[in-house]
């Protein structure tokens, strides 16, 4: 069928391909534009204007915005209105001081004006509270809108857009969230203050012009100059804001990668490198922020200069207007008060300018991104709308060429043609990086082809509805993605209508994937929460869950992309058999490099460098002497060994057990699987390879009808299926082999053990399940640290130079605080000049005191500038130090710490990014204001007490009232701020999980599900924020009103004192001005309380990380060894901290001697990978029993306990190659040399290591060779095999003394895996040659000898001499000049054969060990059972 269909090639097809190519080439024109989007964002940010704050304002926000503006306008008018009444009051005192007014009349007038002030205060309470609440709600609305629109916009972008992100999507997500926060903060109270104070300034100027237009013009003569300077400085801030954002993005990306790759970072001692890199990025970001702080401080200083300086010309000119027929003193004073309030209003805006400027840039940047996402590319690919009624599954790929956007010059597929007939299983094989996975991405329409056509059932894929395609095509990838949901929902999400999935259906799907025992072992079974990304499960477990999800989805077309690579031998055999039965009659494409599961009559495509080099049935391809497919076949010597062992088995078979002798290896695998206890059917952790075996017919041919595919779910007799194709016989034992179907059927029934019978038919309600689970697992909110405790960390954190700067900053603040009382005194003297009856003396006195005001203005402006800048500098240094300290402590936490929900990647990243930025304000902005207010109030009170203690005490009597309002506001605001931050964390976590796994989300058509889930979370954030706004508004209004109540009281009592003639009028005016100015400045702190509480909450979260304990098992040891060999496990037990009741290792005893190549094998869950984690010191072994004197894990000839070792030193000698390769976002050269000093590593050494790992050829084919940037933001789309080879090279270049490989060849094709094996053999041979030269007669075992299990603990053994060699040598031709041990955790039979010694593990214990030949001759041994060559014991599962 394949050949006939592929022969069809019409001219129309070529024409269509040409047309498609034209569209794609036009598309690609804008791909570089996508790549340059960050530059475009900078341009938009530089053009950020005030309307940018309203880029996400919608019609539904108009009412709230209108009310907020109206209330702000009215409340803004209150302050100029106050100036009118203050002018009248001062005029009354002036007339009284001049002898023109009697005492009772003074009291009467002042009392009347104070009543008006009290009424204004009451109105201000309502108005200020209302506008504050409305602006907070408006900010929440902006955040809700941008969250929704950004989510929808990102969801609409294709995968090419994600590939082209300069810093990768993982760095983009937290930066977007920070910008959303910045926009929200700017459009909340700071924008409200801007409107209010702007109205206040305008209204005050109106009052001033109304009373005396000429005096107002003279007083404000310097305002235009100030406006020009302030505008110029403001314009210089925007580029630095964007530059700071860019460096913060890099820092966030660096921290994200380090935390995500914590095992690699620890194993390669990369903590210092990551900390240094992170510190460099935030230092550069700090440099640009300090420029902003410098500009803002300069603005504030200039405003202070102009505000106080205007009194020089104002009072001088005003004194000339007070004359008969001219202006009265009251009119002049009212004009002054109004002008002063106008300028003070402008001054109040300046502390908010950084917040507003960042909000403008954030609004412009987010809008620019939205515009680009809405505009998309210049030529939009065809969006199909066709939704066929049915899908048969015919797939025709014709002359397709494609290159990933990030590697546009390198084709992943080149003129490739495939045909996948409906209802058949077809295999696609090839080396790593040959383009296999690209085919799956194109069929899922994650990308569009550059040229050529793809059709499904004869319809071009571009014409089909995208949702229809993904509803009918399922892609299961090697790196299976799980979501932060319960296990049952993770599986149920495979079904489109996941709400209607029943538990019975989920159990059925789990049975196909052999998940029963894993589910039984979980704390809450199917309802156990799975951490984001499935980090709490092994690779094999994740793959089984993905397969169960695909089984539940059950689409007509299934693509398996290395989806069983992490399964062990028996598990893979059973799962593949179940898949074949399930997919019988359905289109299935299996992408793999492992041909062991390919039958002789399976059709195979062979890919190499994006081209099809061979195709045909396996039986035909095997006959070809040449061709790439032949490289995937087992080598001749390996086959011969396999034949010999199989023949030996047949000869050794006892006549009393005839049935066992006739079991095929595949059937024996089933027997072994079902005959062992429950541990043997645990979910697989690592992949294992099974040989391809065919059963001999009596006629000498292989009949597919002689096979049946077993499903552990089906209790009915096996369904037989056959095909007309026959293949060549593979001679195994020289005798006829048959299958005992009755026995197999019985075992199949024993496997179909139901998970649970409760509520089996009950429909699954994923929503309720997730919410209940998430609420139960969510960590409780910790009490906030007090502001005093937070600020007490500043001094110890800073170095001496920064401490000096901090001291200078507070000295400047003290001078700034003293300037206000001094100004009040001088201002009172200026007012007293109006009492002078002589115009000449009045002018001279006014000029003298005006010059004094000028001197105060210069000093105050200078002190204000240094206060703001130096404190911002200190705050930035404080936060940066804590950031670095927090990351350092995070990276030094034990591996189990990262498994806790409270320490998720999204939360840690937010603490290091957004939380730190807000935390800085505590010192940079708020500490200075609070200190100034306290100092100013203290100076004013002391000075006032010396002048009039009675009036001062009356003013102080109101302190408890203001304190109560302030503390209540602080408590309520802090409580709701914490709740709001918690709700935002939940929404941000969903946002990050969705777009961090966007490929899987789209493949499963979960856009709507995550959109709804995110929408619920966003609405939750809005509800909490709205309630916060209501409570905050009430107390904020009370604080603003309190100042007017206090002012009215002081003036009233002052009039009583003046009328009694007990105090001179000039003294009363002096006390008035001091108290009013001081109280007004202190009262301004109330407006900062919400921001202070937000910063306090975020500071608490960051400080928690910076105070993490360093006394862990990794830091307690101090001893360093010249060699870690031998490694001895002595009755070692271990259970992971997350599951203390589920031991993985049980009294395991094992020795890894020098110059040995040991293979650790076993079924899934046997504890193989746990050994590697313990050797690397990622987890501590369980403490020995109190009667045991031996350490469970020792290193070196002196048997030093791991608890006494310096773990960092140990990791310089022991190197781990994990199964899941981690690529850092940097160049290939730096990836290979990760953890090593660049100066100690030459390019020749890197190239040599890459050659030994088989990576050199593909590296030099990349655009920039070893300097090619890979990982997120780089060329991207390295295949799993390519990434794995780079990781192997990373280990080899370090020249370790112990090399641990955890399934390091699972993603490699046979040829690449062979290169790795040959390299390992060469390393061992070189090590033995060197050691024999220097061991002075010590006899080393050969690869045929077994290492003894007994007597492994020899504490009194004489110290064996070892060559004194450094960790690495500079000569690249020989990697090792010291003793070496290789520990290979594997399921690969070829790797087992390459090893000297094989250790078989079951249930956390060593059950067998020896050489390959020895173990294969051992009838009934563990290795033979593991490889499916024998039945297990007689015990059956379930009794």
């Amino acid at each position: 069928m394949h050949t006939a269909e592929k022969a069809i090639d019409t001219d129309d097809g070529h024409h269509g391909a040409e047309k498609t190519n034209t569209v794609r080439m036009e598309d690609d024109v804008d791909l570089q534009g996508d790549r340059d989007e960050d530059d475009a964002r900078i341009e938009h940010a530089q053009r950020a204007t005030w309307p940018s704050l309203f880029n996400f304002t919608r019609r539904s926000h108009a009412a709230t915005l209108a009310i907020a503006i109206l209330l702000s306008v009215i409340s803004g008018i209150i302050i100029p209105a106050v100036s009118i009444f203050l002018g009248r009051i001062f005029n009354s005192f002036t007339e009284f001081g001049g002898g023109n007014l009697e005492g009772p009349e003074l009291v009467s007038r002042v009392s009347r004006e104070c009543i008006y002030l009290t009424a204004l205060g009451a109105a201000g309470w309502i108005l200020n509270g209302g506008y504050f609440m409305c602006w907070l709600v408006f900010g929440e609305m902006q955040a809700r809108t941008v969250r929704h629109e950004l989510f929808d916009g990102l969801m609409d972008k294709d995968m090419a857009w994600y590939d082209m992100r300069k810093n990768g999507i993982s760095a983009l997500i937290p930066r977007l969230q920070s910008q959303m926060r910045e926009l929200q903060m700017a459009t909340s109270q700071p924008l409200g203050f801007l409107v209010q104070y702007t109205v206040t300034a305008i209204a005050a100027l109106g009052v001033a012009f109304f009373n005396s237009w000429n005096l107002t013009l003279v007083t404000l003569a310097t305002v235009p100059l100030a406006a020009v300077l302030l505008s110029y400085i403001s314009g210089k801030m925007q580029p630095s804001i964007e530059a700071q954002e860019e460096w913060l993005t890099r820092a966030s990306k660096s921290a994200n990668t380090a935390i995500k790759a914590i095992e690699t970072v620890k194993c390669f001692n990369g903590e210092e490198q990551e900390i240094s890199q992170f510190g460099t990025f935030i230092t550069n970001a700090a440099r640009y922020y300090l420029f902003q702080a410098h500009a803002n401080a300069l603005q504030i200083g200039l405003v202070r200069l102009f505000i106080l300086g205007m009194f020089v010309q104002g009072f001088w000119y005003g004194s000339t207007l007070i004359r008969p027929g001219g202006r009265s003193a009251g009119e002049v004073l009212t004009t002054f008060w109004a002008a002063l309030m106008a300028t003070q209003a402008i001054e109040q805006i300046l502390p908010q300018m950084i917040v507003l400027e960042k909000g403008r840039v954030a609004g412009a940047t987010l809008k620019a991104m939205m515009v680009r996402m809405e505009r998309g590319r210049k030529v939009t690919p065809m969006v199909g709308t066709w939704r066929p009624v049915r899908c048969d599954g015919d797939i025709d790929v014709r002359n397709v060429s494609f290159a990933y956007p990030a590697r546009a010059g390198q084709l992943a597929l080149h003129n490739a043609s495939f045909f996948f007939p409906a209802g058949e299983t077809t295999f696609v094989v090839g080396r790593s990086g040959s383009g296999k996975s690209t085919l799956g991405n194109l069929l899922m329409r994650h990308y569009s082809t550059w040229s050529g056509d793809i059709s499904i059932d004869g319809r071009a894929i571009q014409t089909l509805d995208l949702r229809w395609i993904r509803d009918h095509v399922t892609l299961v990838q090697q790196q299976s993605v799980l979501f932060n949901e319960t296990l049952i929902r993770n599986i149920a999400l495979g079904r489109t209508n996941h709400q209607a999935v029943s538990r019975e259906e989920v159990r059925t799907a789990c049975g196909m994937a052999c998940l029963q025992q894993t589910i039984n072992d979980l704390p809450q079974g199917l309802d156990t929460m799975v951490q984001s990304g499935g980090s709490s499960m092994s690779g094999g477990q994740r793959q089984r869950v993905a397969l169960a999800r695909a089984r539940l989805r059950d689409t007509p077309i299934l693509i398996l992309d290395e989806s069983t690579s992490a399964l062990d031998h028996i598990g893979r055999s059973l799962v593949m058999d179940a898949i074949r039965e399930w997919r019988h009659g359905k289109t299935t494409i299996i992408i793999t490099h492992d041909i062991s599961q390919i039958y002789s009559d399976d059709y195979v495509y062979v890919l190499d460098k994006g081209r099809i080099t061979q195709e045909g049935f396996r039986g035909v391809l095997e006959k070809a002497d040449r061709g790439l497919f032949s490289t995937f076949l087992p080598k001749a010597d390996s086959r011969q060994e396999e034949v010999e062992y199989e023949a030996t088995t047949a000869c050794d078979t006892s006549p009393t057990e005839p049935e066992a002798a006739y079991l095929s290896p595949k059937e024996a695998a089933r027997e072994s699987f079902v005959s062992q206890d429950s541990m043997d059917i645990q979910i697989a952790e690592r992949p294992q390879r099974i040989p391809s075996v065919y059963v001999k017919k009596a006629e000498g041919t292989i009949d597919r009808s002689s096979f049946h595919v077993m499903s552990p779910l089906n209790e009915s007799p096996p369904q037989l299926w056959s095909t007309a194709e026959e293949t060549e016989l593979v001679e195994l034992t020289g005798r006829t082999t048959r299958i005992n179907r009755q026995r197999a059927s019985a075992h199949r029934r024993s496997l179909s053990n139901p998970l649970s019978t409760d509520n089996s038919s009950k429909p699954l309600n994923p929503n309720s399940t997730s919410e209940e689970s998430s609420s139960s697992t969510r960590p409780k909110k910790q009490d906030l640290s007090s502001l005093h405790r937070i600020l007490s960390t500043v001094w110890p954190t800073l170095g001496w130079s920064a401490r000096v700067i901090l001291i200078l900053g507070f000295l400047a603040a003290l001078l700034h605080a003293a300037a206000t009382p001094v100004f009040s005194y001088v201002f009172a003297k200026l007012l007293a000049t109006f009492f002078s009856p002589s115009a000449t003396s009045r002018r001279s006195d006014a000029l003298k005191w005006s010059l004094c005001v000028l001197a105060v203005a210069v000093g105050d402006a200078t002190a204000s500038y240094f206060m703001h800048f130096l404190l911002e500098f200190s705050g930035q240094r404080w936060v940066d130090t804590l950031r670095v300290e927090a990351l350092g402590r995070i990276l030094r936490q034990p591996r189990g710490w990262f498994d806790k929900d409270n320490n998720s990647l999204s939360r840690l990243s937010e603490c290091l990014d957004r939380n730190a930025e807000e935390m800085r304000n505590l010192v940079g902005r708020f500490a200075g204001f609070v200190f100034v207010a306290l100092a100013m109030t203290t100076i004013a009170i002391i000075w006032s007490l010396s002048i009039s203690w009675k009036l001062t005490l009356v003013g102080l009597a109101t302190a408890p009232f203001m304190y109560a309002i302030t503390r209540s506001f602080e408590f309520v605001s802090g409580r709701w701020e914490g709740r709001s931050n918690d709700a935002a964390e939940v929404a941000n976590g969903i946002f990050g999980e969705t777009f961090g796994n966007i490929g899987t989300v789209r493949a499963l058509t979960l856009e709507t599900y995550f959109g709804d889930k995110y929408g619920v979370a966003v609405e939750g954030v809005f509800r909490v924020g709205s309630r916060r706004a209501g409570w905050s508004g009430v107390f904020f209004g009370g604080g603003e009103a309190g100042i007017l109540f206090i002012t009215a009281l002081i003036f009233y009592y002052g009039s009583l004192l003046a009328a009694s003639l007990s105090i001179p009028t000039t003294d009363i005016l002096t006390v008035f001005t001091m108290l009013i100015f001081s109280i007004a400045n202190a009262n301004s702190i109330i407006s900062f309380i919400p921001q202070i509480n937000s910063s306090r909450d975020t500071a608490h979260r960051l400080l928690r990380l910076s105070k993490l304990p360093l006394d862990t098992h990794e830091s307690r040891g101090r001893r360093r060894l010249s060699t870690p060999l031998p490694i001895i496990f002595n009755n070692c037990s271990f259970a992971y901290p997350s599951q203390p009741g589920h031991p993985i290792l049980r009294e395991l005893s094992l020795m890894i001697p020098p110059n040995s190549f040991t293979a650790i094998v076993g079924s899934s869950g046997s504890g193989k990978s746990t050994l590697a984690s313990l050797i690397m010191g990622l987890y501590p072994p369980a403490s020995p029993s109190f009667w045991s004197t031996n350490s469970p894990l020792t290193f070196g000839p002196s048997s030093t306990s791991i608890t006494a070792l310096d773990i960092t030193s140990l990791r310089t000698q022991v190197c781990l190659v994990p199964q899941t390769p981690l690529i850092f976002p940097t160049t290939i050269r730096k990836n290979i040399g990760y953890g090593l000093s660049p100066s100690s590593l030459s390019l020749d050494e890197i190239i040599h290591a890459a050659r030994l790992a088989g990576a050199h050829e593909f590296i030099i084919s990349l655009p920039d060779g070893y300097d090619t940037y890979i990982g997120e933001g780089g060329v991207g789309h390295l295949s799993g095999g390519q990434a794995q080879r780079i990781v192997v090279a990373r280990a080899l270049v370090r020249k370790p003394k112990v090399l641990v490989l955890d399934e390091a060849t699972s993603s490699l094709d046979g040829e690449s895996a062979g290169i790795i094996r040959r390299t390992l053999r060469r390393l061992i041979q070189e090590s033995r040659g060197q050691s024999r030269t220097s061991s002075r007669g010590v006899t080393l075992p050969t690869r045929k000898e077994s290492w003894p299990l007994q007597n492994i603990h020899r504490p009194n053994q004489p110290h064996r001499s070892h060559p004194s060699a450094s960790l690495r040598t500079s000569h690249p031709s020989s990697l090792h000049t010291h003793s070496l041990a290789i520990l290979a955790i594997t399921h690969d039979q070829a790797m087992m054969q390459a090893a000297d010694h094989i250790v078989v593990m079951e249930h956390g214990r060593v059950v067998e060990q020896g050489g390959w030949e020895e173990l294969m001759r051992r009838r009934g041994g563990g290795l033979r059972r593991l490889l499916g060559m024998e039945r297990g014991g007689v015990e059956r599962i379930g009794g």
Side-chain angles (χ1 to χ4, degrees), residues 724-842:
E725 301 293 338
E726 295 182 344
T727 61
E728 288 284 322
L729 168 68
V730 179
E731 187 68 24
L732 295 177
T733 63
R735 57 187 293 179
T736 304
T737 306
R738 65 182 177 85
I739 298 176
N740 189 325
R741 293 186 179 88
Q742 183 177 1
R743 179 182 295 275
S745 180
H747 291 315
R748 183 168 62 253
R749 286 194 296 271
S750 71
L751 266 177
S752 58
N753 180 31
L755 302 175
S756 174
T757 57
D758 298 335
N759 303 324
S760 60
S761 60
K762 179 182 178 181
L764 175 66
N765 187 349
N767 293 327
S768 62
T769 304
S770 176
E771 290 172 3
E772 292 170 1
S773 301
S774 62
S775 63
S776 64
T777 59
R778 185 178 302 139
K780 292 183 179 180
K781 176 78 166 59
Q782 299 183 20
D783 293 335
L784 290 176
S785 298
S786 67
L787 196 60
H788 171 74
R789 287 185 58 190
I790 293 173
L791 293 178
S792 66
T793 64
V794 176
W795 183 262
T797 301
L798 299 178
W800 279 109
S801 60
R803 289 177 181 179
V804 171
I805 292 176
L806 179 66
I807 293 173
L808 293 177
F810 277 106
L811 287 177
L814 183 62
L815 294 176
H816 176 55
T820 297
V822 172
F823 169 77
S824 301
Y825 175 79
V826 176
F827 184 69
K829 295 299 182 180
L830 277 173
L831 293 178
T833 60
F834 294 160
F835 305 159
S836 177
S838 171
T840 303
S841 61
R842 186 165 58 245

Side-chain angles (χ1 to χ4, degrees), residues 1203-1271:
T1203 58
L1205 289 180
D1206 184 317
I1207 298 297
T1208 300
S1209 175
L1210 176 66
R1211 289 170 180 165
T1212 63
Q1213 304 180 73
V1214 183
C1215 201
L1216 172 67
V1217 180
Q1219 178 187 3
T1220 303
L1222 193 285
I1223 298 299
F1224 292 92
T1226 184
T1227 63
I1228 293 178
R1229 178 175 183 172
K1230 291 182 179 179
N1231 260 286
I1232 295 177
Y1234 180 78
L1236 297 174
S1237 172
S1239 61
S1240 66
L1241 191 64
S1242 68
L1243 181 59
D1244 289 340
E1245 290 177 284
I1246 291 176
I1247 292 175
H1248 185 62
R1251 288 184 184 276
L1252 292 176
H1256 178 70
E1257 295 301 324
F1258 94 81
I1259 292 175
I1260 61 175
S1261 69
L1262 295 175
D1264 299 312
Y1266 284 85
D1267 293 322
T1268 301
Y1269 194 95
I1270 56 177

Side-chain angles (χ1 to χ4, degrees), residues 324-368:
R327 298 290 182 181
S328 67
E331 291 175 328
V332 172
L333 287 175
T334 300
T335 302
F336 272 127
W337 276 114
L340 179 63
M341 288 182 175
T343 52
Q344 282 184 330
I346 297 174
E347 184 183 20
Q348 291 293 327
I349 296 174
L350 291 180
Q352 310 290 344
M353 284 307 297
I354 288 184
V355 178
L356 292 169
E357 287 291 345
K358 286 194 170 186
R360 288 168 57 185
V361 173
T365 302
L366 291 170
K367 186 63 176 179

Side-chain angles (χ1 to χ4, degrees), residues 963-980:
Y963 179 80
I965 291 180
T966 303
R967 290 293 295 174
S968 299
F969 187 21
E970 180 185 5
F971 173 78
V972 171
S973 176
R975 181 180 181 184
W976 284 101
E977 191 68 38
R979 293 180 179 179
S980 182

Side-chain angles (χ1 to χ4, degrees), residues 922-978:
L922 288 176
V923 173
R925 295 173 59 196
F926 308 135
F929 288 138
V930 172
F931 179 80
V932 167
L934 292 175
M936 184 186 302
T937 304
T938 301
I939 295 173
I941 290 174
I942 295 174
W943 201 336
S944 298
L945 285 172
S946 66
I947 297 175
S948 175
W949 63 270
K950 292 182 178 179
L951 184 58
T952 304
L953 289 179
V954 168
L956 291 178
T958 62
F961 168 73
M962 291 303 299
Y963 179 80
I965 291 180
T966 303
R967 290 293 295 174
S968 299
F969 187 21
E970 180 185 5
F971 173 78
V972 171
S973 176
R975 181 180 181 184
W976 284 101
E977 191 68 38

Side-chain angles (χ1 to χ4, degrees), residues 193-233:
F193 294 152
L194 175 65
V195 175
Q196 181 192 24
Y197 293 137
T198 300
V199 172
T200 297
I202 295 173
L205 289 176
V207 171
F209 275 102
F210 177 80
N211 281 276
S212 178
W213 63 269
N214 49 354
L215 177 59
T216 303
L217 289 177
V218 172
T219 302
L220 302 178
T222 56
V223 169
L225 176 61
V228 171
L229 291 176
L230 293 179
S231 178
Y232 174 79
I233 295 173

Side-chain angles (χ1 to χ4, degrees), residues 1103-1119:
L1103 283 173
R1104 179 185 75 88
L1105 299 178
S1106 67
K1107 299 297 182 182
L1108 288 172
L1110 293 177
D1111 184 22
T1112 68
H1113 75 276
E1114 297 184 11
S1115 62
R1116 293 169 188 156
R1118 293 293 181 268
R1119 186 168 179 181

Side-chain angles (χ1 to χ4, degrees), residues 211 314 394 512 521 624 691 876 1307 1334 1427:
N211 281 276
D394 267 331
M512 187 279 296
D521 290 339
Q876 185 68 51
S1307 296
S1334 58
L1427 296 178

